[in-house]
Amino acid sequence: MSYATVADLVAEFGEREIRDLTDRADPPAGEIDATVANRAIVRAETTVNGYLAGRYTLPVPAEAVRGYVLDLARGYLYVSVMNDTVKARYDAAMKDLVSIGKGLMALPVAPATVPMPTPAASGMVVRTRPRTFGES
C-alpha cells in the first residue's frame, strides 16, 4: 500500500516545484519525472514504516501518515541544500516520527497487538518451591 502519490506531491507543493526537483534530464525535459518522484516517495514510506514498525500494524491508513511521507519525500528530492521552509518541515516530520517510535506520540489508529507468549508456547516452565520460614 502506498501512502502518497506523485499527484499528492504536486497537490501539496505545486507542479512547478516538483517538476524542478524531479526533472534531472540534460537538457531539462520540462516535465515531472515520475520515476524520480516515486523513488523519493518509496524512500519516505520506508522511513515512516521503520519508525512505526512494532507500534502499529503496517501498513497504517494512508491519511494518518501522508503528511510525513510528503514532507520527507520533498526533502529527499533536494540534491543540494534545502531552503529553510523545506528543512523545517522535514525536521518536524522526523521529530514526530522519532516521538512516535519512542511511544511519546501516537497516531490516530489502533496500535499493534502482539500476543503474549504462553508458557506452553514458549517451551519455558518455571518451578518454584514454597519458602520455608526463616530460610534466607
Side-chain angles (χ1 to χ4, degrees):
M1 172 187 201
S2 181
Y3 296 137
T5 65
V6 175
D8 293 328
L9 277 172
V10 170
E12 185 73 17
F13 306 116
E15 183 176 346
R16 182 178 182 184
E17 181 176 357
I18 301 307
R19 181 184 63 240
D20 290 349
L21 291 171
T22 63
D23 186 1
R24 298 177 182 171
D26 188 21
E31 298 176 353
I32 292 172
D33 186 331
T35 301
V36 172
N38 280 316
R39 195 172 20 234
I41 290 168
V42 168
R43 183 176 171 196
E45 290 172 341
T46 302
T47 300
V48 168
N49 280 339
Y51 284 99
L52 302 182
R55 296 218 171 264
Y56 297 95
T57 301
L58 300 176
V60 297
E63 56 276 359
V65 294
R66 184 173 290 122
Y68 297 132
V69 170
L70 293 174
D71 287 336
L72 294 180
R74 181 188 193 195
Y76 294 150
L77 287 172
Y78 275 77
V79 292
S80 60
V81 178
M82 293 181 229
N83 67 42
D84 290 342
T85 302
V86 174
K87 178 133 178 56
R89 287 182 69 155
Y90 176 90
D91 289 345
M94 287 303 297
K95 181 180 176 187
D96 283 358
L97 290 170
V98 168
S99 293
I100 291 167
K102 291 180 177 179
L104 302 173
M105 216 174 127
L107 292 176
V109 298
T113 55
V114 179
M116 296 300 292
T118 61
S122 70
M124 183 175 182
V125 177
V126 177
R127 296 176 196 215
T128 62
R129 63 180 174 87
R131 287 185 67 133
T132 305
F133 196 25
E135 183 180 55
S136 17

